Protein backbone atom coordinates (compact mmCIF):
# COMPACT_ATOMS: atom_id res chain seq x y z
CA UNK A 1 0.00 0.00 0.00
CA UNK A 2 1.71 3.15 -1.19
CA UNK A 3 2.13 6.01 1.27
CA UNK A 4 0.90 4.32 4.43
CA UNK A 5 2.17 1.89 7.02
CA UNK A 6 0.02 -0.87 8.50
CA UNK A 7 1.43 -2.89 11.36
CA UNK A 8 0.55 -6.22 12.95
CA UNK A 9 0.02 -6.95 16.65
CA UNK A 10 1.17 -10.39 17.77
CA UNK A 11 -0.23 -12.47 20.63
CA UNK A 12 3.01 -12.28 22.62
CA UNK A 13 2.54 -8.52 22.89
CA UNK A 14 -0.52 -9.01 25.08
CA UNK A 15 -0.38 -10.66 28.46
CA UNK A 16 -2.50 -13.03 30.53
CA UNK A 17 -6.24 -13.33 30.15
CA UNK A 18 -6.35 -10.66 27.44
CA UNK A 19 -4.18 -12.84 25.18
CA UNK A 20 -6.49 -15.80 25.79
CA UNK A 21 -9.55 -13.76 24.80
CA UNK A 22 -7.81 -12.38 21.70
CA UNK A 23 -6.82 -15.85 20.60
CA UNK A 24 -10.45 -16.94 20.44
CA UNK A 25 -11.97 -13.98 18.62
CA UNK A 26 -11.96 -12.31 15.24
CA UNK A 27 -12.34 -8.55 15.11
CA UNK A 28 -13.18 -6.41 12.10
CA UNK A 29 -11.95 -2.82 12.07
CA UNK A 30 -13.26 -0.30 9.52
CA UNK A 31 -11.46 3.04 9.16
CA UNK A 32 -13.14 5.67 7.02
CA UNK A 33 -10.78 8.34 5.72
CA UNK A 34 -10.75 11.35 3.45
CA UNK A 35 -9.59 9.08 0.61
CA UNK A 36 -11.21 5.71 1.08
CA UNK A 37 -12.12 2.96 3.52
CA UNK A 38 -9.43 0.75 5.08
CA UNK A 39 -10.42 -2.61 6.59
CA UNK A 40 -8.39 -4.61 9.08
CA UNK A 41 -9.00 -8.03 10.57
CA UNK A 42 -7.53 -9.48 13.72
CA UNK A 43 -7.30 -13.26 13.59
CA UNK A 44 -5.80 -14.67 16.74
CA UNK A 45 -3.41 -11.98 17.90
CA UNK A 46 -2.23 -10.45 14.61
CA UNK A 47 -3.80 -7.66 12.60
CA UNK A 48 -3.95 -7.82 8.81
CA UNK A 49 -5.17 -4.97 6.60
CA UNK A 50 -6.51 -5.32 3.08
CA UNK A 51 -4.05 -4.25 0.43
CA UNK A 52 -5.94 -1.28 -1.00
CA UNK A 53 -8.59 1.13 0.27
CA UNK A 54 -12.17 0.65 -0.82
CA UNK A 55 -13.90 3.66 -2.42
CA UNK A 56 -10.57 5.05 -3.52
CA UNK A 57 -10.50 8.87 -3.47
CA UNK A 58 -13.94 9.03 -1.81
CA UNK A 59 -14.39 10.56 1.62
CA UNK A 60 -16.01 7.96 3.91
CA UNK A 61 -17.79 9.86 6.67
CA UNK A 62 -19.82 6.99 8.13
CA UNK A 63 -19.48 3.25 8.62
CA UNK A 64 -21.60 0.67 10.42
CA UNK A 65 -20.90 -3.00 11.14
CA UNK A 66 -24.30 -4.63 11.55
CA UNK A 67 -23.92 -7.98 13.34
CA UNK A 68 -27.62 -8.55 14.05
CA UNK A 69 -28.39 -10.89 11.14
CA UNK A 70 -27.21 -14.37 10.27
CA UNK A 71 -24.19 -12.78 8.59
CA UNK A 72 -22.61 -9.39 9.25
CA UNK A 73 -23.41 -6.50 6.94
CA UNK A 74 -21.12 -3.52 6.46
CA UNK A 75 -22.56 -0.13 5.51
CA UNK A 76 -20.49 2.80 4.27
CA UNK A 77 -21.43 6.39 3.51
CA UNK A 78 -19.11 7.38 0.68
CA UNK A 79 -18.81 10.84 -0.85
CA UNK A 80 -17.40 11.06 -4.37
CA UNK A 81 -16.29 14.49 -5.57
CA UNK A 82 -17.62 13.52 -9.01
CA UNK A 83 -20.70 11.37 -8.34
CA UNK A 84 -21.76 12.73 -4.97
CA UNK A 85 -22.71 10.85 -1.78
CA UNK A 86 -24.10 7.32 -1.59
CA UNK A 87 -24.63 4.43 0.83
CA UNK A 88 -23.00 1.10 -0.03
CA UNK A 89 -23.37 -2.28 1.64
CA UNK A 90 -21.30 -5.45 1.79
CA UNK A 91 -22.29 -8.92 2.96
CA UNK A 92 -18.82 -10.46 2.66
CA UNK A 93 -16.90 -8.35 5.18
CA UNK A 94 -15.97 -5.69 2.65
CA UNK A 95 -14.55 -7.81 -0.13
CA UNK A 96 -17.31 -6.64 -2.48
CA UNK A 97 -19.79 -3.78 -2.27
CA UNK A 98 -23.26 -3.06 -3.66
CA UNK A 99 -24.67 0.34 -4.50
CA UNK A 100 -28.45 0.44 -5.09
CA UNK A 101 -29.60 1.35 -8.61
CA UNK A 102 -31.49 4.29 -7.09
CA UNK A 103 -29.88 6.41 -4.36
CA UNK A 104 -30.48 4.81 -0.98
CA UNK A 105 -30.74 8.23 0.68
CA UNK A 106 -32.17 11.20 -1.18
CA UNK A 107 -34.29 14.21 -0.34
CA UNK A 108 -37.83 14.28 -1.75
CA UNK A 109 -38.29 17.00 -4.38
CA UNK A 110 -40.75 18.96 -2.26
CA UNK A 111 -38.07 19.58 0.40
CA UNK A 112 -35.96 21.64 -2.01
CA UNK A 113 -32.84 20.06 -0.45
CA UNK A 114 -30.07 17.89 -1.82
CA UNK A 115 -27.88 15.43 0.02
CA UNK A 116 -24.41 16.69 0.95
CA UNK A 117 -23.22 13.62 2.87
CA UNK A 118 -24.24 10.81 5.20
CA UNK A 119 -22.79 11.54 8.63
CA UNK A 120 -24.14 8.53 10.52
CA UNK A 121 -25.29 4.94 9.93
CA UNK A 122 -26.84 3.32 12.98
CA UNK A 123 -28.32 -0.22 13.24
CA UNK A 124 -31.31 0.09 15.59
CA UNK A 125 -30.99 -1.56 18.99
CA UNK A 126 -34.45 -3.14 19.14
CA UNK A 127 -35.48 -3.72 15.49
CA UNK A 128 -33.39 -6.29 13.61
CA UNK A 129 -33.76 -4.89 10.07
CA UNK A 130 -33.93 -1.18 10.91
CA UNK A 131 -31.01 1.16 10.17
CA UNK A 132 -31.03 4.91 10.70
CA UNK A 133 -29.02 7.41 8.68
CA UNK A 134 -28.14 10.94 9.73
CA UNK A 135 -27.35 13.41 6.98
CA UNK A 136 -26.32 16.89 5.96
CA UNK A 137 -28.52 18.93 5.61
CA UNK A 138 -29.57 17.75 9.06
CA UNK A 139 -32.17 15.03 8.58
CA UNK A 140 -32.96 11.56 9.87
CA UNK A 141 -33.73 8.64 7.56
CA UNK A 142 -35.07 5.20 8.46
CA UNK A 143 -34.47 1.94 6.60
CA UNK A 144 -36.40 -1.29 7.19
CA UNK A 145 -34.27 -3.46 4.86
CA UNK A 146 -30.88 -3.27 6.60
CA UNK A 147 -29.82 -0.11 4.83
CA UNK A 148 -30.70 -0.71 1.18
CA UNK A 149 -33.46 1.93 1.01
CA UNK A 150 -34.28 4.80 3.37
CA UNK A 151 -37.28 7.04 4.06
CA UNK A 152 -37.08 10.61 5.37
CA UNK A 153 -38.42 11.04 8.92
CA UNK A 154 -40.52 14.07 8.05
CA UNK A 155 -41.63 15.26 11.52
CA UNK A 156 -38.01 16.06 12.40
CA UNK A 157 -37.33 17.61 9.00
CA UNK A 158 -40.44 19.78 9.46
CA UNK A 159 -39.75 20.63 13.11
CA UNK A 160 -40.96 24.18 13.89
CA UNK A 161 -37.51 25.24 15.09
CA UNK A 162 -35.70 24.15 11.91
CA UNK A 163 -35.59 27.57 10.26
CA UNK A 164 -33.53 28.76 13.23
CA UNK A 165 -30.92 25.98 13.03
CA UNK A 166 -27.54 27.40 12.08
CA UNK A 167 -24.84 25.22 10.49
CA UNK A 168 -21.70 24.67 12.53
CA UNK A 169 -18.16 25.01 11.27
CA UNK A 170 -18.37 21.53 9.76
CA UNK A 171 -21.84 22.01 8.29
CA UNK A 172 -25.37 21.27 9.48
CA UNK A 173 -25.07 17.55 10.10
CA UNK A 174 -27.18 15.08 12.03
CA UNK A 175 -24.22 13.10 13.32
CA UNK A 176 -25.54 11.07 16.26
CA UNK A 177 -28.37 8.54 16.44
CA UNK A 178 -29.09 6.57 19.63
CA UNK A 179 -31.81 3.95 19.82
CA UNK A 180 -33.08 2.28 22.99
CA UNK A 181 -33.10 -1.52 23.30
CA UNK A 182 -36.05 -1.25 25.70
CA UNK A 183 -38.31 0.72 23.36
CA UNK A 184 -37.98 1.05 19.56
CA UNK A 185 -40.09 4.22 19.65
CA UNK A 186 -37.45 6.09 21.68
CA UNK A 187 -34.76 7.71 19.51
CA UNK A 188 -32.26 10.43 20.40
CA UNK A 189 -30.37 12.45 17.78
CA UNK A 190 -27.85 15.28 17.86
CA UNK A 191 -27.34 18.02 15.27
CA UNK A 192 -24.62 20.63 14.74
CA UNK A 193 -25.66 23.25 15.74
CA UNK A 194 -29.20 22.59 16.84
CA UNK A 195 -28.48 20.30 19.81
CA UNK A 196 -30.15 17.14 21.06
CA UNK A 197 -33.69 16.15 20.06
CA UNK A 198 -35.74 13.18 21.31
CA UNK A 199 -38.80 11.27 20.19
CA UNK A 200 -40.77 8.84 22.34
CA UNK A 201 -43.39 8.00 19.72
CA UNK A 202 -41.36 6.53 16.90
CA UNK A 203 -40.54 9.85 15.25
CA UNK A 204 -44.03 11.35 15.10
CA UNK A 205 -42.97 14.21 17.37
CA UNK A 206 -39.63 15.59 18.56
CA UNK A 207 -38.56 17.73 21.52
CA UNK A 208 -35.32 19.63 22.18
CA UNK A 209 -33.40 18.02 25.06
CA UNK A 210 -30.63 20.44 25.96
CA UNK A 211 -31.43 21.69 29.46
CA UNK A 212 -28.14 22.40 31.20
CA UNK A 213 -25.96 22.31 28.06
CA UNK A 214 -24.31 25.68 27.42
CA UNK A 215 -24.01 27.44 24.08
CA UNK A 216 -21.11 29.70 25.01
CA UNK A 217 -20.97 31.23 21.53
CA UNK A 218 -24.54 32.66 21.72
CA UNK A 219 -25.77 35.84 23.46
CA UNK A 220 -28.05 33.62 25.54
CA UNK A 221 -25.80 30.71 26.60
CA UNK A 222 -28.76 28.57 27.78
CA UNK A 223 -31.20 28.34 24.86
CA UNK A 224 -33.78 25.59 24.38
CA UNK A 225 -31.95 24.56 21.21
CA UNK A 226 -28.94 25.80 19.25
CA UNK A 227 -26.17 24.03 21.18
CA UNK A 228 -23.22 22.70 19.21
CA UNK A 229 -23.33 19.11 20.43
CA UNK A 230 -20.45 17.09 19.01
CA UNK A 231 -21.34 13.54 20.14
CA UNK A 232 -23.56 11.59 22.57
CA UNK A 233 -23.07 8.06 23.97
CA UNK A 234 -25.25 5.75 26.10
CA UNK A 235 -24.06 4.10 29.32
CA UNK A 236 -23.76 0.31 29.27
CA UNK A 237 -25.51 -0.37 32.60
CA UNK A 238 -28.06 2.46 32.80
CA UNK A 239 -29.76 3.18 29.45
CA UNK A 240 -31.09 6.48 30.82
CA UNK A 241 -27.55 7.70 31.47
CA UNK A 242 -26.00 9.56 28.53
CA UNK A 243 -22.62 11.24 28.04
CA UNK A 244 -22.28 14.33 25.85
CA UNK A 245 -19.24 16.06 24.36
CA UNK A 246 -20.15 19.63 23.51
CA UNK A 247 -18.41 22.53 21.81
CA UNK A 248 -16.91 23.42 25.19
CA UNK A 249 -18.31 21.17 27.89
CA UNK A 250 -18.63 17.50 28.82
CA UNK A 251 -21.99 16.52 30.31
CA UNK A 252 -23.97 13.63 31.76
CA UNK A 253 -27.70 13.04 31.78
CA UNK A 254 -29.37 10.60 34.17
CA UNK A 255 -32.85 11.00 32.69
CA UNK A 256 -32.34 10.05 29.04
CA UNK A 257 -31.48 13.61 28.03
CA UNK A 258 -34.16 15.45 29.94
CA UNK A 259 -31.49 17.43 31.81
CA UNK A 260 -27.70 17.58 31.77
CA UNK A 261 -24.97 18.05 34.41
CA UNK A 262 -21.45 19.34 33.73
CA UNK A 263 -18.83 16.62 34.38
CA UNK A 264 -15.83 18.34 32.80
CA UNK A 265 -13.88 19.02 36.00
CA UNK A 266 -10.59 17.15 35.98
CA UNK A 267 -10.09 17.26 32.21
CA UNK A 268 -7.30 19.42 30.70
CA UNK A 269 -9.88 20.89 28.32
CA UNK A 270 -13.63 20.46 27.91
CA UNK A 271 -13.46 21.06 24.17
CA UNK A 272 -13.43 17.95 22.00
CA UNK A 273 -15.38 15.95 19.48
CA UNK A 274 -15.74 12.33 20.49
CA UNK A 275 -17.22 10.47 23.45
CA UNK A 276 -17.54 6.67 23.69
CA UNK A 277 -19.17 4.62 26.45
CA UNK A 278 -17.71 1.27 27.48
CA UNK A 279 -19.88 -1.51 25.95
CA UNK A 280 -20.22 -3.45 29.24
CA UNK A 281 -19.07 -1.42 32.24
CA UNK A 282 -21.48 1.10 33.68
CA UNK A 283 -20.29 4.60 34.59
CA UNK A 284 -17.36 4.23 32.15
CA UNK A 285 -16.76 6.53 29.20
CA UNK A 286 -13.88 7.93 27.15
CA UNK A 287 -13.10 11.35 25.65
CA UNK A 288 -10.19 12.87 23.72
CA UNK A 289 -9.75 16.50 24.83
CA UNK A 290 -8.72 19.15 22.28
CA UNK A 291 -6.91 22.38 23.23
CA UNK A 292 -9.61 24.77 22.05
CA UNK A 293 -12.02 25.56 19.24
CA UNK A 294 -9.38 28.03 18.02
CA UNK A 295 -6.51 25.55 18.51
CA UNK A 296 -7.72 22.14 17.36
CA UNK A 297 -4.88 19.91 18.47
CA UNK A 298 -4.75 17.48 21.42
CA UNK A 299 -4.96 19.21 24.80
CA UNK A 300 -1.50 20.39 25.85
CA UNK A 301 -0.29 18.83 22.57
CA UNK A 302 -0.28 15.40 24.20
CA UNK A 303 -1.89 12.28 22.78
CA UNK A 304 -4.16 11.17 25.65
CA UNK A 305 -7.46 9.39 25.98
CA UNK A 306 -9.26 10.22 29.22
CA UNK A 307 -11.46 7.67 30.98
CA UNK A 308 -14.02 8.04 33.72
CA UNK A 309 -15.06 4.99 35.73
CA UNK A 310 -17.45 6.86 38.01
CA UNK A 311 -19.79 8.61 35.57
CA UNK A 312 -17.68 11.76 35.26
CA UNK A 313 -16.86 12.44 38.90
CA UNK A 314 -13.18 11.91 38.06
CA UNK A 315 -11.03 11.35 34.97
CA UNK A 316 -7.74 9.56 34.37
CA UNK A 317 -5.38 9.95 31.40
CA UNK A 318 -4.57 6.80 29.41
CA UNK A 319 -1.17 7.17 27.77
CA UNK A 320 0.66 3.83 27.86
CA UNK A 321 1.85 3.08 24.33
CA UNK A 322 0.73 6.44 22.90
CA UNK A 323 3.20 9.06 21.57
CA UNK A 324 4.90 10.98 24.36
CA UNK A 325 6.33 13.81 22.24
CA UNK A 326 4.39 16.86 21.03
CA UNK A 327 1.40 15.60 19.10
CA UNK A 328 -1.04 17.28 16.72
CA UNK A 329 -3.45 14.51 15.71
CA UNK A 330 -7.05 15.65 16.27
CA UNK A 331 -9.62 12.89 16.86
CA UNK A 332 -12.97 13.65 15.21
CA UNK A 333 -16.42 12.83 16.59
CA UNK A 334 -16.80 9.37 15.02
CA UNK A 335 -13.11 8.46 14.95
CA UNK A 336 -13.17 6.52 18.24
CA UNK A 337 -15.10 3.31 18.90
CA UNK A 338 -15.11 -0.03 20.72
CA UNK A 339 -15.47 -3.60 19.46
CA UNK A 340 -18.05 -4.79 22.00
CA UNK A 341 -15.72 -7.26 23.70
CA UNK A 342 -15.05 -7.57 27.43
CA UNK A 343 -12.34 -6.47 28.14
CA UNK A 344 -13.15 -3.97 25.45
CA UNK A 345 -11.06 -3.30 22.42
CA UNK A 346 -10.89 0.45 21.84
CA UNK A 347 -9.76 2.16 18.65
CA UNK A 348 -9.18 5.70 17.47
CA UNK A 349 -7.79 7.42 14.40
CA UNK A 350 -6.69 11.00 13.92
CA UNK A 351 -6.14 13.62 11.28
CA UNK A 352 -2.48 12.65 11.11
CA UNK A 353 -3.61 9.37 9.56
CA UNK A 354 -2.65 7.28 12.60
CA UNK A 355 -4.77 4.47 14.06
CA UNK A 356 -4.30 3.21 17.63
CA UNK A 357 -5.81 0.18 19.37
CA UNK A 358 -6.20 -1.05 22.93
CA UNK A 359 -7.19 -4.60 23.89
CA UNK A 360 -7.57 -3.87 27.62
CA UNK A 361 -10.21 -1.16 28.10
CA UNK A 362 -7.72 1.57 27.22
CA UNK A 363 -5.04 0.72 29.80
CA UNK A 364 -2.44 0.30 27.03
CA UNK A 365 -2.30 1.20 23.34
CA UNK A 366 -0.51 0.16 20.18
CA UNK A 367 -0.29 1.84 16.80
CA UNK A 368 -1.88 -0.16 13.99
CA UNK A 369 -1.44 2.24 11.06
CA UNK A 370 0.23 5.49 10.08
CA UNK A 371 0.33 7.85 7.09
CA UNK A 372 -3.29 7.18 6.15
CA UNK A 373 -5.44 10.05 4.89
CA UNK A 374 -7.38 12.03 7.52
CA UNK A 375 -9.35 9.54 9.62
CA UNK A 376 -13.04 10.53 9.65
CA UNK A 377 -14.68 7.54 11.32
CA UNK A 378 -13.81 4.24 13.00
CA UNK A 379 -15.99 1.20 13.69
CA UNK A 380 -15.09 -2.22 15.07
CA UNK A 381 -16.91 -5.43 15.99
CA UNK A 382 -16.16 -8.91 17.26
CA UNK A 383 -17.27 -11.41 14.62
CA UNK A 384 -16.63 -14.73 16.35
Amino acid sequence: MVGCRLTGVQNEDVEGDVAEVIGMTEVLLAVGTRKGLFIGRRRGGAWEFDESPYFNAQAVYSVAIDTRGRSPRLLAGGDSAHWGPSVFHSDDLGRSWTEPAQPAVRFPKDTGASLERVWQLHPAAAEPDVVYAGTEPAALYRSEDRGETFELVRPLWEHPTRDKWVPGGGGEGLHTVLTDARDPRAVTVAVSTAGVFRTLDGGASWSPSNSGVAAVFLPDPNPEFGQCVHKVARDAADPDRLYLQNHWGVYRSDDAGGSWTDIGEGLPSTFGFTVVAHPHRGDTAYVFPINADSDRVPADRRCRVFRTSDAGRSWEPLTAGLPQEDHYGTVLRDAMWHDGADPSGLYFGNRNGEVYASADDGDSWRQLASHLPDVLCVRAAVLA
Side-chain angles (χ1 to χ4, degrees), residues 71-96:
S71 61
R73 168 168 285 190
L74 276 60
L75 295 160
D79 186 3
S80 165
H82 182 74
W83 300 107
S86 189
V87 175
F88 306 82
H89 66 270
S90 170
D91 293 325
D92 56 9
L93 300 182
R95 293 177 178 87
S96 63

Side-chain angles (χ1 to χ4, degrees), residues 46-60:
W47 282 97
E48 297 177 358
F49 281 80
D50 293 355
E51 284 298 321
S52 299
Y54 301 95
F55 315 112
N56 186 42
Q58 291 195 41
V60 179

Side-chain angles (χ1 to χ4, degrees), residues 18 276-281 284-286 305-309 316 318 336-347 357-365:
V18 174
V276 173
H278 193 285
H280 300 288
R281 297 185 185 179
T284 303
Y286 304 82
V305 175
F306 279 75
R307 177 176 63 197
T308 179
S309 301
E316 59 177 322
L318 307 175
M336 180 184 289
W337 200 245
H338 60 74
D339 60 19
D342 194 8
S344 180
L346 292 167
Y347 310 85
S358 169
D360 54 10
D361 296 327
D363 289 339
S364 62
W365 299 85

Side-chain angles (χ1 to χ4, degrees), residues 124-159:
E127 299 173 286
D129 293 325
V130 172
V131 176
Y132 285 96
T135 69
E136 180 185 349
L140 182 67
Y141 285 78
R142 175 184 167 95
S143 168
E144 297 184 353
D145 54 14
R146 299 191 73 194
E148 295 187 30
T149 61
F150 289 84
E151 292 284 336
L152 176 66
V153 179
R154 279 191 174 269
L156 183 60
W157 177 256
E158 297 169 354
H159 197 272

Side-chain angles (χ1 to χ4, degrees), residues 61-272:
Y61 284 89
S62 53
V63 176
I65 305 174
D66 186 354
T67 59
R68 300 171 301 171
R70 279 183 280 182
S71 61
R73 168 168 285 190
L74 276 60
L75 295 160
D79 186 3
S80 165
H82 182 74
W83 300 107
S86 189
V87 175
F88 306 82
H89 66 270
S90 170
D91 293 325
D92 56 9
L93 300 182
R95 293 177 178 87
S96 63
W97 293 85
T98 299
E99 181 181 17
Q102 298 296 323
V105 177
R106 56 180 171 179
F107 280 90
K109 288 184 178 180
D110 66 286
T111 64
S114 60
L115 182 65
E116 293 288 331
R117 62 180 52 99
V118 177
W119 278 104
Q120 186 79 168
L121 290 163
H122 172 79
E127 299 173 286
D129 293 325
V130 172
V131 176
Y132 285 96
T135 69
E136 180 185 349
L140 182 67
Y141 285 78
R142 175 184 167 95
S143 168
E144 297 184 353
D145 54 14
R146 299 191 73 194
E148 295 187 30
T149 61
F150 289 84
E151 292 284 336
L152 176 66
V153 179
R154 279 191 174 269
L156 183 60
W157 177 256
E158 297 169 354
H159 197 272
T161 64
R162 172 171 287 277
D163 63 352
K164 298 185 177 70
W165 296 3
V166 178
E172 186 192 83
L174 194 155
H175 52 69
T176 297
V177 182
L178 297 178
T179 51
D180 192 330
R182 302 167 298 177
D183 183 359
R185 299 169 299 173
V187 182
T188 300
V189 301
V191 177
S192 292
T193 57
V196 176
F197 287 77
R198 292 190 297 164
T199 180
L200 300 176
D201 54 16
S205 63
W206 296 82
S207 300
S209 299
N210 304 290
S211 178
V213 179
V216 297
F217 44 83
L218 294 179
D220 174 8
N222 298 293
E224 182 184 22
F225 62 92
Q227 288 80 355
C228 188
V229 175
H230 286 170
K231 200 65 188 173
V232 187
R234 190 185 300 277
D235 188 79
D238 182 356
D240 288 331
R241 174 164 287 173
L242 305 177
Y243 305 97
L244 185 154
Q245 173 66 69
N246 198 49
H247 186 116
W248 290 117
V250 180
Y251 297 87
R252 186 189 75 231
S253 173
D254 296 324
D255 55 8
S259 60
W260 298 89
T261 301
D262 190 325
I263 58 170
E265 186 175 355
L267 291 170
S269 170
T270 61
F271 186 85

Side-chain angles (χ1 to χ4, degrees), residues 318-337:
L318 307 175
T319 61
L322 295 177
Q324 298 302 303
E325 64 276 7
D326 282 356
H327 202 261
Y328 297 88
T330 302
V331 177
L332 299 178
R333 61 169 53 90
D334 266 315
M336 180 184 289
W337 200 245

